[in-house]
Amino acid sequence: MKIVTDERCTGYDYPGHPERPERIGLTVEKLRAQTELPIEWASPGPAQDREILRAHTPEHLGRLDEPRDFDLDTPFFPGISGYARASVGAALEALRSARSGQVAFSLMRPPGHHAMRARAMGFCYLNNVAIAVLAALADGCKRVAVYDFDVHHGNGTEAILLNKPGAALFSIHQYPCYPGTGTRNLGKNCFNYPVPPETARIEYRHVLASALEQLKAFKPDLVAVSAGFDCYNHDPLAQMTLEAEDFYWLGQSFHHLGVPVFSALEGGYSRELPDLILAFLKGLDGQ
Ligand SMILES: [Zn+2]
C-alpha cells in the first residue's frame, strides 16, 4: 500500500472552515502509529501545466494566483496554486503507482471533485482525479472509470469528463445536498446515483453496489476512486449513514475488481476520519 502525502498540504488554514489541516495531520499520525497495514510513503510528483490544462482553462490556472476569494466556500490562500498543484501531483503519483501494480492512495488536500474546467468551488481548486484520468487516457489507458463515493456530487469531474471517449463517471451522492446537481445521468458516460438524506445504511449499500456493478459492466482497465468519507453517519456536512465497516467493504470491493485502482481523498470532516480511511485502506489491501 502506497500513501502519497506531503505535510506541506496542511500549511493553509481558514479558522472555522470544515476543510481543515487536521484532516490530514491526524490521519498521517494514525497511519504511522498502526502496524496492521504495511505502508510505503511517497511524495507527490510534479504536476506539469500541460497535464493540468487537459482539464482546466489557462485562465483558471492563472486565476489561482490572484488574491481574491473564489466563492464563500472556497477562499483564496497565499500559495494556494502551489498547494493545489501538489495535490494534483499526488494523484498523478498514485496513478503511476497503480499502473505499476501497487495500490495507492493520495492523502492530500485540497480535494478536487467540485473543481470545474474554469472555476474553483466547494473547497476544490484543481480537479485532481479528472486530471489523472485524462493523463491515463493520454498515456495508453483505453477505458478509465471514476467511482466517486463522496457524499457530494462530483460535478466538476462530470463536467470535465462528460462524453470524453474512454472515460466514465459513477457518482453516488446525497440529494438534495451541495452542489445541487447529479439528479440524472448526463451524456453517454456520466452516471449519477442520487440518494435522499437519512437513507438507511443497508439501502445506501445497495446503491453503492449497483453503481459498482455498472462500473464493472463498463470494463475499465483502470479505476480512479474519488474517496470522500463525508457519507459517514457522523459527518457534520451531510445526513448519510455509512459506518467504518462500509468503507472497509468499499475498499475490498475495489480490491476484488482485478484492475489497477488508485484513490484520492475528497471530503470527510468527522473526527473519525483517520479510522474511516484506515478501514478503507485495509479493504483495498485485501485484508
Ligand atoms: Zn464531499
Side-chain angles (χ1 to χ4, degrees):
M1 173 67 57
K2 188 183 263 190
I3 305 290
V4 190
T5 191
D6 181 342
E7 62 185 17
R8 282 173 297 173
C9 79
T10 58
Y12 70 95
D13 190 12
Y14 192 87
H17 198 291
E19 216 295 84
R20 60 195 206 286
E22 293 76 24
R23 296 207 307 136
I24 306 293
L26 295 173
T27 305
V28 169
E29 262 175 46
K30 172 100 193 173
L31 294 179
R32 287 200 189 278
Q34 60 81 39
T35 52
E36 302 150 284
L37 182 71
I39 289 178
E40 182 187 331
W41 296 88
S43 299
Q48 312 288 350
D49 280 8
R50 63 177 173 78
E51 294 171 299
I52 296 170
L53 293 174
R54 287 191 191 109
H56 295 283
T57 62
E59 293 74 21
H60 176 63
L61 196 51
R63 169 70 180 86
L64 296 183
D65 291 313
E66 295 173 22
R68 288 177 286 123
D69 289 347
F70 299 89
D71 63 25
L72 285 175
D73 295 319
T74 320
F76 175 83
F77 299 96
I80 191 62
S81 69
Y83 293 115
R85 276 173 183 271
S87 199
V88 171
L92 291 169
E93 180 61 29
L95 161 67
R96 275 189 292 272
S97 301
R99 293 191 74 190
S100 63
Q102 205 171 10
V103 182
F105 183 85
S106 167
L107 177 60
M108 290 287 280
R109 60 195 284 273
H113 74 150
H114 296 307
M116 309 289 280
R117 190 170 281 281
R119 185 177 158 208
M121 63 181 281
F123 322 161
C124 301
Y125 302 84
L126 293 173
N127 199 312
N128 311 316
V129 163
I131 292 168
V133 167
L134 294 176
L137 289 170
D139 191 38
C141 287
K142 298 289 177 231
R143 300 177 71 79
V144 184
V146 179
Y147 188 91
D148 184 333
F149 67 79
D150 187 281
V151 82
H152 303 101
H153 176 228
N155 61 312
T157 311
E158 177 181 79
I160 293 167
L161 298 183
L162 185 64
N163 290 336
K164 187 86 193 167
L169 167 69
F170 302 83
S171 178
I172 308 90
H173 44 267
Q174 177 178 315
Y175 182 84
C177 197
Y178 182 88
T181 49
T183 54
R184 59 187 178 86
N185 297 339
L186 225 55
K188 297 180 187 136
N189 67 339
C190 293
F191 304 96
N192 287 309
Y193 303 82
V195 183
E198 314 280 1
T199 294
R201 189 181 148 214
I202 190 78
E203 284 175 46
Y204 200 22
R205 278 267 291 251
H206 281 311
V207 179
L208 290 163
S210 83
L212 204 59
E213 286 307 312
Q214 283 194 268
L215 178 146
K216 284 183 202 166
F218 174 71
K219 297 197 184 343
D221 52 22
L222 174 75
V223 174
V225 181
S226 266
F229 296 84
D230 41 12
C231 42
Y232 172 55
N233 193 16
H234 302 294
D235 195 276
L237 292 201
Q239 292 80 43
M240 291 317 294
T241 49
L242 295 189
E243 298 290 352
E245 64 186 88
D246 300 310
F247 296 105
Y248 173 77
W249 167 79
L250 272 169
Q252 247 189 347
S253 306
F254 297 122
H255 173 80
H256 290 306
L257 280 179
V259 296
V261 176
F262 71 98
S263 310
L265 179 66
E266 301 285 0
Y269 309 96
S270 70
R271 278 178 308 166
E272 292 85 357
L273 178 67
D275 304 304
L276 307 180
I277 291 179
L278 180 58
F280 178 66
L281 296 177
K282 282 185 186 168
L284 266 182
D285 194 49
Q287 291 194 10

